[in-house]
């Protein structure tokens, strides 16, 4: 029988440890870029928008409209864009979504029960956030498969598909925006479209499209990987899973520990705004800085026994949702979806046992961490 791959085989923990030990920032002359791996360095750079810019392009282009989203904008544009979308992600709004998310999760598990097994990624972790973000945006159910394919391409390694899927999404959202001009609806696309017409400081159409693309991938891919990774970690910790079934109060801590242990977003990019000395390193204007969030979550100077999956870990100051003004708008929604998904699973499945001898495979993405599939007995 094939040896099953564990979560430890998929995460480059030893390499991250060596890189953290090498210093606060490592320079790569081939790419003229810097990489930071320690918790302190990642946290400081992500929060320091005055010296490290999120903008890789001065203006968004038709080729890469996602560059015009809040992910890639600095103040004051960032503040304006965030205020428009933040209304859809308040605590009150997110809490009101819980019953609907529970219904979706239960329906997905009911469907899987008919097959006699649960393929965690395809049956639950992937469709749940796709349905939720599609409903928020106001996208027809028949287009959800398109959403999933596009979000996979956005975080994959194929640059040609990365650009092509943005072209396809631009065409798609232009049609949806035009529809909302004629028939406004109670959804995010309408709210963003109406901001274009608000005043001279409103968003451009390309910026609205960029926001829609970001919401699609941020509200889908990251949560999919969070849920799948959480079940992966629990599958290899049967005693912990037994505890969870008896004590649901451990569920929030399980979500947080998964975010630390295998952060869905592994790397975030920044650009040096001007020549400066940072922590004894001479950084030059225009150089790229790669912050390794995945490595920061295993920094032994911050986390006791970081290689242990400890759902009771407190405090747990992971950086999975970023830091500072770019802290993830959808953090509350992602946490809620993960908690609901896990609650539904522990209520239905006595123990997590994989079927067959299929090994775990990591997604082909440097930026994201996730698994391709995980099939469990029902």
């Amino acid at each position: 029988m094939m040896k099953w791959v564990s979560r430890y085989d998929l995460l480059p923990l030893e390499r991250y440890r060596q890189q953290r030990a090498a210093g606060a920032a490592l320079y790569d002359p081939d790419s003229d870029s810097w990489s930071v791996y320690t918790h302190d360095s990642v946290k400081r750079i992500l929060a320091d928008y005055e010296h490290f810019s999120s903008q890789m392009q001065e203006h968004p282009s038709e080729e890469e409209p996602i560059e015009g989203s809040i992910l890639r904008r600095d103040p004051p544009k960032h503040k304006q864009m965030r205020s428009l979308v933040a209304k859809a992600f308040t605590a009150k709004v997110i809490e009101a979504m819980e019953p609907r998310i529970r219904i979706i999760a239960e329906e997905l598990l009911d469907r899987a029960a008919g097959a006699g097994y649960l393929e965690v990624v395809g049956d639950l972790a992937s469709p749940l956030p796709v349905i939720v973000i599609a409903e928020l945006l106001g996208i027809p159910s028949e287009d959800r498969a398109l959403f999933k394919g596009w979000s996979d391409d956005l975080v994959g390694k194929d640059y040609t598909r990365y650009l092509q899927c943005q072209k396809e999404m631009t065409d798609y959202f232009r049609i949806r925006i035009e529809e909302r001009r004629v028939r406004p609806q109670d959804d995010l696309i309408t709210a963003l479209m109406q901001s274009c017409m608000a005043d001279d400081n409103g968003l451009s159409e390309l910026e609205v499209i960029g926001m829609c693309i970001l919401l699609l991938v941020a509200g889908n891919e990251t949560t999919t990987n969070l849920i799948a990774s959480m079940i992966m970690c629990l599958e290899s910790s049967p005693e912990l899973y037994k505890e969870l079934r008896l004590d649901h109060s451990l569920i929030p801590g399980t979500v947080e520990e998964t975010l630390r242990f295998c952060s869905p977003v592994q790397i975030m990019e920044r650009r040096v705004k001007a020549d400066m000395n940072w922590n004894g390193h001479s950084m030059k204007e225009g150089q790229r800085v790669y912050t390794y969030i995945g490595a920061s979550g295993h920094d032994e100077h911050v986390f006791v026994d970081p290689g242990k999956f400890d759902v009771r870990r407190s405090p747990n100051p992971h950086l999975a949702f970023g830091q500072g003004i770019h802290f993830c708008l959808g953090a509350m929604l992602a946490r809620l979806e993960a908690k609901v998904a896990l609650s539904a699973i522990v209520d239905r499945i006595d123990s997590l046992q994989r079927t067959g001898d299929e090994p775990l495979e990591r997604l082909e993405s440097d930026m994201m961490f996730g698994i391709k599939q995980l099939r469990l007995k029902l």
Side-chain angles (χ1 to χ4, degrees):
M1 180 177 289
M2 185 181 299
K3 179 182 180 294
W4 281 358
V5 177
S6 75
R7 63 184 184 240
Y8 299 103
D9 298 310
L10 300 181
L11 290 160
L13 302 186
E14 177 57 25
R15 174 163 60 84
Y16 281 162
R17 187 194 66 76
Q18 294 172 356
Q19 289 162 329
R20 284 194 303 271
L26 303 181
Y27 177 68
D28 177 19
D30 292 335
S31 61
D32 189 27
S33 66
W34 298 86
S35 294
V36 296
Y37 299 89
T38 67
H39 187 276
D40 177 66
S41 297
V42 171
K43 182 177 181 179
R44 286 171 56 195
I45 288 177
L46 289 178
D48 186 1
Y49 65 85
E50 293 183 353
H51 296 99
F52 298 96
S53 174
S54 298
Q55 291 186 211
M56 301 301 125
Q57 299 175 6
E58 186 174 355
H59 300 290
S61 66
E62 288 280 345
E63 189 176 46
E64 294 184 81
I66 197 171
E67 296 294 327
S69 70
I70 53 174
L71 181 70
R72 294 299 199 189
R73 308 312 280 173
D74 294 334
K77 173 62 77 171
H78 174 271
K79 183 178 181 180
Q80 175 207 6
M81 299 179 80
R82 190 177 179 98
S83 66
L84 287 170
V85 188
K87 299 170 187 175
F89 294 96
T90 64
K92 183 178 180 180
V93 170
I94 299 304
E95 288 168 6
M97 295 173 65
E98 182 170 356
R100 174 59 182 151
I101 295 172
R102 288 193 178 278
I103 289 172
I104 296 169
E106 294 292 347
E107 288 177 348
L108 291 169
L109 289 175
D110 285 344
R111 196 176 305 161
Y117 65 86
L118 172 69
E119 201 291 281
V120 174
V121 179
D123 294 338
L124 179 66
S126 176
L128 175 62
V130 170
I131 294 170
V132 172
I133 197 62
E135 290 184 355
L136 271 176
L137 284 167
I139 296 302
S141 59
E142 59 267 23
D143 292 344
R144 291 171 189 162
L146 283 173
F147 266 40
K148 177 56 181 169
W150 285 331
S151 63
D152 287 346
D153 289 338
L154 273 173
V155 300
K157 291 185 176 183
D158 188 333
Y159 187 65
T160 300
R161 276 303 305 159
Y162 170 79
L163 294 178
Q164 178 61 30
C165 75
Q166 289 193 68
K167 180 182 183 303
E168 293 167 5
M169 282 186 282
T170 297
D171 294 339
Y172 178 89
F173 282 118
R174 277 212 167 104
I175 294 172
R176 302 286 88 77
I177 289 169
E178 189 55 39
E179 289 174 350
R180 298 316 191 270
R181 291 189 206 277
V182 179
R183 291 183 299 277
Q185 298 179 24
D186 184 20
D187 58 35
L188 265 178
I189 293 181
T190 299
L192 291 170
M193 180 276 298
Q194 289 174 342
S195 75
C196 294
M197 306 181 296
D199 52 46
D200 292 339
N201 295 318
L203 303 183
S204 69
E205 183 182 71
L206 198 58
E207 286 172 335
V208 170
I209 291 170
M211 284 295 298
C212 289
I213 292 174
L214 173 64
L215 289 167
L216 161 62
V217 67
N220 169 19
E221 200 72 28
T222 53
T223 310
T224 290
N225 294 334
L226 167 58
I227 294 171
S229 294
M230 180 170 59
I231 305 306
M232 172 189 72
C233 290
L234 290 172
E235 184 272 331
S236 57
S237 307
E239 291 304 315
L240 172 57
Y241 186 71
K242 288 180 183 178
E243 288 186 70
L244 272 173
R245 297 202 75 221
L246 296 172
D247 185 1
H248 283 207
S249 70
L250 295 175
I251 288 177
T254 304
V255 174
E256 295 307 309
E257 182 67 345
T258 304
L259 286 163
R260 178 197 71 85
F261 198 93
C262 32
S263 175
V265 177
Q266 290 280 296
I267 307 170
M268 288 298 292
E269 185 181 13
R270 293 292 185 264
R271 177 177 55 82
V272 179
K273 283 189 171 183
D275 292 1
M276 65 173 173
N277 183 288
W278 188 85
N279 241 37
H281 300 284
S282 180
M283 294 187 173
K284 303 297 182 183
E285 179 180 355
Q287 288 179 331
R288 302 295 175 95
V289 181
Y290 298 97
T291 63
Y292 282 76
I293 295 173
S296 75
H298 291 267
D299 192 329
E300 47 282 304
H301 294 98
V302 177
F303 302 99
V304 177
D305 195 5
K308 179 183 179 182
F309 187 78
D310 181 6
V311 302
R312 293 179 173 87
R313 187 181 298 277
S314 182
N316 193 346
H318 63 77
L319 302 172
F321 291 122
Q323 186 72 16
I325 64 170
H326 286 280
F327 185 83
C328 178
L329 261 174
M332 282 190 292
L333 178 58
R335 284 174 164 134
L336 177 60
E337 289 178 287
K339 286 187 284 189
V340 169
L342 181 53
S343 176
I345 285 176
V346 298
D347 284 343
R348 286 178 176 237
I349 305 178
D350 293 337
S351 62
L352 304 180
Q353 300 179 52
R354 272 192 261 177
T355 66
D357 57 2
E358 296 174 342
L360 293 175
E361 290 184 72
R362 178 174 173 165
L363 293 177
E364 296 172 0
S365 172
D366 294 325
M367 185 180 77
M368 307 287 292
F369 177 83
I371 55 175
K372 291 183 177 179
Q373 66 175 16
L374 172 58
R375 183 178 291 194
L376 301 176
K377 296 177 182 179
L378 287 180

